[in-house]
Structure formats: structure tokens, C-alpha cells
Amino acid sequence: MNNMEDAILFTAASGSTAYDIWMYRLADGRIFRLTENLGEAHSIPYWSPDTRFVSFIGRNGIVFVLDMQDGNLARIDQIEPYTLLSWSPDSRYLTYVKGSRIVIYDIRLHVSTGIVHEGAADAQWFPSGEALLYAAPDEMGNVQLFRTDIAGTDRVQLTQNTEGPLHDVRISPDGQFALYTSPGVSISLISVVNLATGERRQLEGGPQAKNYYPAWSPDSSLISYSATDLIQNQYISYIQTDARNGGQQRTLAISSCFATPVSWSPDGSRIAYLSGCGEQEPASQIWIVDTAASLPPVKIVDAGRITALAWSPPRPAIHPYRLYRNSAYNVSFYYPMNWVRVTDERYEGPDGFFQISAIMSEADIHEVCRSEAFHPLRPYGSNPRIIPAVIQSQAACYIFPSADQPAEMGNQSALIVKYPEPIVIQGSSYPYFILWADRGHILQLSRTLKFIR
């Protein structure tokens, strides 16, 4: 079931059956049960960007990762229910908050790193894959939004909030905005922040100021949410959308539930939501409404009890790549097809470059990285960032330039990796491989790096 084109995950139970994660496939209307007695009412499924993996918090607060390709199920941690789970853009790392730590878990190597920030919540990836967004109290106790690199060494406060707690923080797919709700549950208003400027706008919301489950459209232009209202002593919720700057509110459908999660289709043309709530009972139905509102909503699932849903994400854009292979340096990786050869070790294109070499040194990886990053000629600026990593099970580091890097360096970044065995070139032994590339491509190139014989 890997690479699902269009499917909806949902958390459901019926009769005496426990909650589990299920999947509805839109192409043929078939429903699949993905887990066996592992879910809870609070379980929320999260697709990885490539749709291969599904993560959720199940029984006893266990974080599960299901591989949709081979059916393997991993138990990776134990955390609080309703903690946000966020996948890295390359679907390799799962991030969440546990205690005062932001955890970055590598699902391939089954190791994790942590960033400490007391009171952190809602940690999630920027689409660049180089930074995280999260909420946490500042020195005055006011909850703010912060940006940090994945090493936790470059932390920036993005907001100047003085109006209370921030809940349900969600970054826009383009990484330029974030939304949140405040101040609490009885009154819940949706605000949108420009992460570059800190400018904030509050959406109008529903008639009772009870706006829940806000979700970004795939193109970052709209926000959908559930707006609670009381009609003839019966709670309902409106399925509404608004522009991120407000002023374009529309009501698309009505749910019989006090509130319902909402989820966008991959192309942004439809929204899925829950309905069929009885008195003191959760939802029992999944409906889909066209965002153009030209067609009536359609019911697609009828079950016992449903508490969460998640439409499959947009498929990542596939760009043409070509394999680079260098037997002298014992490496291979993929690079953009429109880049051209300058030398055997250097390729350039209209949007970037790469160059490779090897380093002769008896020092450990940390000293080698520092020597490169703080070269006397300052090729990475005066304050470059060094981020430890593991590449092909080998110790490695990334070097990212500071803002004062000379313009003629072309935003050069670097990756240094210790060879499994030193290579010999013209009679000399080299223990380390180095890849230079522009910052926009260094991570992308490194993800396909392999050592060859």
C-alpha cells in the first residue's frame, strides 16, 4: 500500500472493538484496518510526506510508526497523548516534545537527538528541513514562537506575544506563516503570524468564538476550521474557510458535532470532516465537501465511533536527477540533471553547484569540522554553524555559513564524512570525504550519498 495516491486515515472503534487506525481509499471506496488493538480515542494519525509511514500515539502513550510498504510496526517512545508528531520533509525524522526536550528521532538508525527548551510545545519542521518551529515561554513567561536549527544552537524568537497562551500551532506548507488558537477552549480564536515580520492577523471565526482544529490548505492561502454554534439548544459546527489574511470567510458545510477535525485533499479542492454525533457520543461519519461549494457534501464512511482523520499529503514534486559516481573518491550521489560538468570533481547549474574532495588528517571528526568551518580565510563567514550528523553509519558534520559569508562564495555549505576505510590517492591516505555545495542543495545531495568500492 505504499505511495497512496489519495487516501484518508482515520481513528475508529465499533461496539466493543478497541480504537485503531483505519484507511479509506478514495479510488475504490475500500476500507483497510491498519492496526490491531493499538489505538486510543486520542490517537491522531500523521502521514509522512512520502506517504510510506504513518505515526500515531497509541495505547499507554506509545509512539508507533507503521511502515505502509512492508507492514512493520515500530515502537519508538512513550509520550503524553495529543502531543504533535511532525515528520521531516524527507520522511526520515519524526519530531515531538517529551518533557522539556524537543526530540528528533531517526527512524532509519533508531537513534534520537534532543533540544532542551523548558515548556516547549508543538514542535514541527520547516519545509527546508533545516529548522524547527515551536512554542515556548519567554523569560517573562509569555508564550512565543521560536525557530531553531536542528542542532539547537541557533534559536530565534519570532513573536512578541503578550496576550496569553498559544495552542494548536501549525506552520504553513510554504514555511512563511504559522497559525495558532488562543486563549483557551471556551473562547478559541485563530491568529496567523508572518514568521518573517512577526505581523499578526486574527480571523473573524464563527458566531460563538469557538473555532477549533484549524488546518492549512496545501498552497498556504486558506485556513479551514470547525466553528461551533448553538442552534435550538443543539450544538453544531460550521465547516468554514478563510484567507490567511482574513476577510474571505465562507461556510461550506454543517456537522452535527460540537467540533470536528478537518483535513484538506492533496490538491486543495475538498475538505474531509466528521459528523453523525449523538448525544454524549463521538462522531460516526466522515464527509467530504467541495471547496468550490458547487456540490453538496458526500458521506464516505459510516462507523461506530470516529475521533480523528487525516487526508494523504500532496505528493512531493519529482525533479529529474542524474547519478554522479567518482571511483577515485569512492562516492556516488544524485544531482540535478541540468547541472553541467566543470571538472571531474565539480558540477554547476543555474541554481547551485557541488564540488568534492578528501581531507588528510589524523584528528577526530569534531576537530576536522572545526578546522574547515573556521578556516583563516573565513569561507563560511565569521560564525558558521557546525551540526553533527551520521551519514551511511559514519560520523559526519554539516557546516552552514553565517550571514556575513562573502557573496562570492555562492552560499557555500559543506558536509564532512569519515570514510569507512581511508582512501588512497597518489600514495597518500585520506580518512575524510568533503562535499561542498550551495546551502539550498547540500542536504538534498547528502541524502543520496553512498560509499562505493
Side-chain angles (χ1 to χ4, degrees):
M1 286 185 224
N2 188 30
N3 295 328
M4 300 307 305
E5 292 292 339
D6 204 359
I8 296 175
L9 299 174
F10 61 98
T11 305
S14 60
S16 59
T17 305
Y19 279 97
D20 271 301
I21 307 301
W22 298 70
M23 184 181 72
Y24 174 86
R25 192 162 64 190
L26 280 90
D28 54 15
R30 293 184 63 188
I31 295 177
F32 303 86
R33 185 178 182 177
L34 302 182
T35 63
E36 294 286 342
N37 302 318
L38 294 178
E40 293 283 7
H42 61 67
S43 298
I44 300 172
Y46 295 88
W47 292 94
S48 64
D50 63 4
T51 71
R52 175 172 173 173
F53 301 99
V54 174
S55 60
F56 65 96
I57 304 171
R59 290 194 166 189
N60 302 314
I62 301 296
V63 180
F64 292 94
V65 174
L66 172 65
D67 189 331
M68 299 283 280
Q69 182 170 294
D70 58 26
N72 288 337
L73 188 71
R75 296 164 171 82
I76 66 171
D77 209 339
Q78 187 173 25
I79 62 177
E80 291 295 320
Y82 299 109
T83 300
L84 176 65
L85 305 179
S86 176
W87 285 95
S88 62
D90 62 359
S91 300
R92 176 167 179 171
Y93 301 95
L94 186 65
T95 293
Y96 50 87
V97 173
K98 181 176 183 179
S100 60
R101 295 176 69 243
I102 299 172
V103 177
I104 303 175
Y105 186 91
D106 186 329
I107 64 169
R108 291 186 197 169
L109 301 179
H110 299 289
V111 296
S112 65
T113 57
I115 300 170
V116 177
H117 195 147
E118 195 67 39
D122 290 337
Q124 54 210 280
W125 288 84
F126 275 84
S128 66
E130 295 182 10
L132 300 172
L133 176 75
Y134 64 96
D138 61 16
E139 295 179 351
M140 302 299 293
N142 295 315
V143 179
Q144 310 291 351
L145 298 184
F146 291 85
R147 181 188 191 276
T148 180
D149 63 9
I150 57 178
T153 57
D154 185 14
R155 181 181 299 164
V156 179
Q157 182 176 320
L158 303 175
T159 57
Q160 299 295 329
N161 173 52
T162 58
E163 299 181 1
L166 311 181
H167 308 286
D168 305 309
V169 176
R170 297 293 185 272
I171 193 169
S172 61
D174 65 7
Q176 298 183 37
F177 301 87
L179 62 77
Y180 59 82
T181 62
S182 63
V185 176
S186 59
I187 298 296
S188 180
L189 303 172
I190 301 170
S191 295
V192 178
V193 176
N194 183 317
L195 296 178
T197 66
E199 179 186 6
R200 180 181 70 92
R201 290 180 180 268
Q202 189 176 95
L203 303 188
E204 178 184 353
Q208 301 287 332
K210 299 177 185 294
N211 308 292
Y212 306 110
Y213 301 106
W216 286 100
S217 64
D219 67 358
S220 304
S221 66
L222 298 173
I223 295 167
S224 62
Y225 55 93
S226 168
T228 303
D229 200 5
L230 185 63
I231 304 294
Q232 297 179 350
N233 293 321
Q234 173 106 22
Y235 280 113
I236 63 165
S237 56
Y238 301 113
I239 310 306
Q240 296 187 325
T241 63
D242 202 347
R244 66 176 180 236
N245 291 328
Q248 297 182 34
Q249 186 185 86
R250 297 172 61 229
T251 299
L252 303 179
I254 298 177
S255 167
S256 61
C257 300
F258 175 85
T260 169
V262 292
S263 186
W264 291 84
S265 65
D267 63 1
S269 67
R270 293 166 292 171
I271 294 173
Y273 62 95
L274 304 183
S275 193
C277 288
E279 189 172 343
Q280 305 300 318
E281 290 293 329
S284 60
Q285 303 165 354
I286 299 177
W287 290 70
I288 291 176
V289 63
D290 193 295
T291 55
S294 57
L295 298 172
V298 176
K299 182 173 66 174
I300 60 168
V301 174
D302 213 329
R305 302 182 299 279
I306 308 175
T307 57
L309 79 169
W311 212 315
S312 50
R315 297 293 298 278
I318 299 176
H319 301 288
Y321 287 89
R322 181 177 284 126
L323 180 66
Y324 173 78
R325 184 182 177 94
N326 191 305
S327 57
Y329 290 90
N330 288 8
V331 295
S332 70
F333 53 86
Y334 285 88
Y335 68 96
M337 188 176 289
N338 63 339
W339 290 10
V340 297
R341 177 182 174 275
V342 178
T343 67
D344 286 347
E345 291 79 34
R346 184 178 178 89
Y347 282 63
E348 296 179 357
D351 59 345
F353 73 94
F354 78 78
Q355 184 170 331
I356 68 168
S357 188
I359 297 175
M360 182 189 299
S361 175
E362 296 182 358
D364 64 20
I365 184 71
H366 306 291
E367 183 56 37
V368 172
C369 293
R370 283 195 59 83
S371 295
E372 171 67 20
F374 294 96
H375 189 280
L377 297 180
R378 293 188 173 184
Y380 305 96
S382 63
N383 189 30
R385 291 182 291 125
I386 302 174
I387 299 178
V390 176
I391 302 291
Q392 289 287 292
S393 302
Q394 300 297 310
C397 73
Y398 291 100
I399 301 172
F400 292 106
S402 55
D404 61 352
Q405 181 188 43
E408 61 269 20
M409 295 306 298
N411 216 8
Q412 176 181 290
S413 301
L415 169 70
I416 299 175
V417 190
K418 187 174 184 180
Y419 277 110
E421 296 179 4
I423 65 169
V424 177
I425 301 176
Q426 296 181 351
S428 297
S429 178
Y430 294 84
Y432 296 97
F433 168 74
I434 183 167
L435 167 69
W436 293 284
D438 63 285
R439 181 170 183 161
H441 287 91
I442 188 76
L443 292 173
Q444 177 180 302
L445 297 172
S446 69
R447 285 165 186 152
T448 60
L449 175 68
K450 291 184 179 180
F451 293 114
I452 60 177
R453 299 291 183 182

